[in-house]
Amino acid sequence: MKTVHVALGARAYDVQIGAGGLENAGEMLLPLLPRKRVVIVSDDTVAKAHLGAFQAALETSGIACESLTLPPGEATKCWRELEHVVEWLLARKVERRDVVVALGGGVIGDLVGFAAAILRRGVRFVQIPTSLLAQVDSSVGGKTGINSPSGKNLVGAFHQPSLVLADITVLDTLSDRDFLAGYGEVVKYGLLGDATFFDWLESNADAIRRRDRAALTHAVGRSVEMKAEIVARDETEQGDRALLNLGHTFCHALESATGYSDRLLHGEGVAIGCGLAFELSSRLGLCAQEDPSRLRAHLKQMGMKVDLADVPGDLPSAEALYALMGQDKKVLDGAIRFILARGIGQAFVTADVPRETVLAVLEDGLRGR
Ligand code: GLY
């Protein structure tokens, strides 16, 4: 197992990454438990695949548990299920020093983390992320929350977990599409801050596609290391943490235009969004013209969606997409903040981007459809 420490003073914690974490989960949880008991929240799909193994591991370590499973999917991240989880935890008499375990992907992690943040003004929780996206992004860094009818992730809190267990073997059960969508976030880390890691991803594309355990441990481990460094510098996103949103301004507009549906998964939108951010950076003379082409070639090599042309169904005009970008959470004083790059591994945040250049990039992308 590889350990990454998230250095946040009194809120510091470890992320354990590698094959077999679930089997040893009991041992890793024991030091956190004043009484040998945990409560688990998962979803039906993940529970079918992994809850039995997790419960067996807890039993081996003499830890009692109770579990709640919710319907899978983004719709679960809502007020009603939040109330359901909080009331269920209260009925189980979960106390401040107890540990609530979120066993699942980003939806379960965000919802259960938020329930833990508000229950008795904050109980501890452990993330056991079961999707690649959750392992490299949402389970680390303490962003928790739910969606509101007014928009995604609009209600939430920063609440850091006490431990994150990323077992690489659970990724075996993901569909190719979900796996590759999560990989969009892995590529993002190379692009935003580590050109050597991006080189490594290019050279190890086949091993990653085969879900080779050593390759995945390195890919997840390096992604988490980078996220941990950024979160330790800027826990509540006053500055550098916005770099983690590379590709996301375009992605959120595309997700909104496709109704947050199966037409475009979040990680697919991130990959396409990173391509657009690099194209924009190149048009603005910030990075070499080869950089966006190199990124596209790598996404193609992985068998991923690459361009606007790969989004099925109709898309609105460039103007309409630009308007949707203006509704992004990162908009500050009315100005859209972009994450651009001076090259692979050299991202930065700026609001100084001419509207016409963004529209030209979107129009060219839409013409390719
Ligand atoms: N997913 C972006 C962040 O955690 O800040």
Side-chain angles (χ1 to χ4, degrees):
M1 301 291 281
K2 177 185 171 75
T3 305
V4 176
H5 186 65
V6 187
L8 283 170
R11 295 177 308 288
Y13 55 96
D14 285 340
V15 184
Q16 303 282 359
I17 302 142
L22 212 55
E23 276 166 27
N24 302 312
E27 261 167 68
M28 289 192 257
L29 281 168
L30 270 178
L32 296 175
L33 304 177
R35 51 175 171 169
K36 287 184 155 192
R37 159 197 189 219
V38 295
V39 285
I40 309 162
V41 183
S42 190
D43 74 34
D44 296 331
T45 311
V46 171
K48 232 175 256 152
H50 306 298
L51 184 57
F54 180 46
Q55 283 171 328
L58 294 175
E59 203 171 303
T60 308
S61 300
I63 302 171
C65 67
E66 281 184 85
S67 62
L68 169 69
T69 58
L70 305 174
E74 189 70 29
T76 293
K77 245 175 82 170
C78 66
W79 286 107
R80 201 171 44 83
E81 291 297 352
L82 177 68
E83 182 182 1
H84 179 184
V85 173
V86 168
E87 291 300 333
W88 183 83
L89 294 171
L90 286 172
R92 260 97 217 135
K93 300 193 168 32
V94 171
E95 296 174 8
R96 275 226 178 129
R97 292 170 65 215
D98 286 331
V99 166
V100 179
V101 178
L103 174 69
V107 167
I108 288 295
D110 285 5
L111 170 71
V112 177
F114 188 38
I118 58 176
L119 186 77
R120 301 187 197 281
R121 298 205 178 89
V123 302
R124 295 180 307 154
F125 83 114
V126 166
Q127 293 263 23
I128 305 191
T130 55
S131 68
L132 181 54
L133 189 131
Q135 292 193 351
V136 297
D137 188 41
S138 57
S139 67
V140 179
K143 278 190 183 175
T144 71
I146 56 169
N147 303 326
S148 128
S150 303
K152 266 190 72 162
N153 293 326
L154 289 183
V155 180
F158 286 99
H159 185 55
Q160 300 292 342
S162 301
L163 174 72
V164 182
L165 285 183
D167 184 344
I168 297 301
T169 60
V170 305
L171 303 178
D172 290 350
T173 57
L174 296 179
S175 68
D176 281 345
R177 188 173 178 203
D178 283 331
F179 177 78
L180 288 176
Y183 184 73
E185 296 275 3
V186 175
V187 175
K188 177 193 82 176
Y189 287 102
L191 295 171
L192 77 86
D194 187 350
T196 311
F197 182 46
F198 187 79
D199 293 346
W200 184 89
L201 292 172
E202 284 179 324
S203 315
N204 289 273
D206 286 344
I208 295 167
R209 279 187 71 166
R210 283 199 313 275
R211 305 189 201 184
D212 172 87
R213 301 231 159 119
L216 279 182
T217 302
H218 180 72
V220 174
R222 182 63 194 130
S223 302
V224 170
E225 245 167 29
M226 292 184 67
K227 177 144 193 186
E229 280 167 27
I230 292 175
V231 167
R233 281 206 302 273
D234 178 21
E235 184 181 6
T236 56
E237 201 166 314
Q238 308 300 312
D240 269 10
R241 187 163 179 166
L243 293 173
L244 296 171
N245 292 320
L246 176 62
H248 284 62
T249 309
F250 289 105
C251 170
H252 290 152
L254 292 172
E255 282 183 297
S256 174
T258 50
Y260 297 95
S261 68
D262 205 33
R263 279 173 63 196
L264 187 73
L265 303 180
H266 176 71
E268 294 173 337
V270 169
I272 295 173
C274 285
L276 292 167
F278 266 79
E279 186 59 42
L280 181 57
S281 302
S282 147
R283 299 249 181 133
L284 292 169
L286 293 164
C287 72
Q289 279 179 350
E290 292 71 45
D291 289 343
S293 314
R294 191 173 154 202
L295 166 56
R296 281 202 199 93
H298 179 55
L299 298 178
K300 250 186 210 126
Q301 176 189 25
M302 292 297 292
M304 295 167 71
K305 290 191 171 65
V306 180
D307 293 305
L308 292 182
D310 299 323
V311 181
D314 291 337
L315 279 182
S317 65
E319 289 274 0
L321 285 173
Y322 189 85
L324 289 172
M325 291 167 84
Q327 284 165 20
D328 195 85
K329 278 199 294 301
K330 291 185 300 303
V331 169
L332 208 63
D333 298 328
I336 304 176
R337 284 192 303 157
F338 287 87
I339 321 300
L340 299 181
R342 297 196 175 85
I344 287 176
Q346 299 174 62
F348 66 99
V349 186
T350 178
D352 182 20
V353 180
R355 184 175 180 275
E356 315 76 72
T357 321
V358 181
L359 286 175
V361 167
L362 290 170
E363 271 155 14
D364 288 354
L366 290 169
R367 249 195 300 281
R369 286 168 59 80

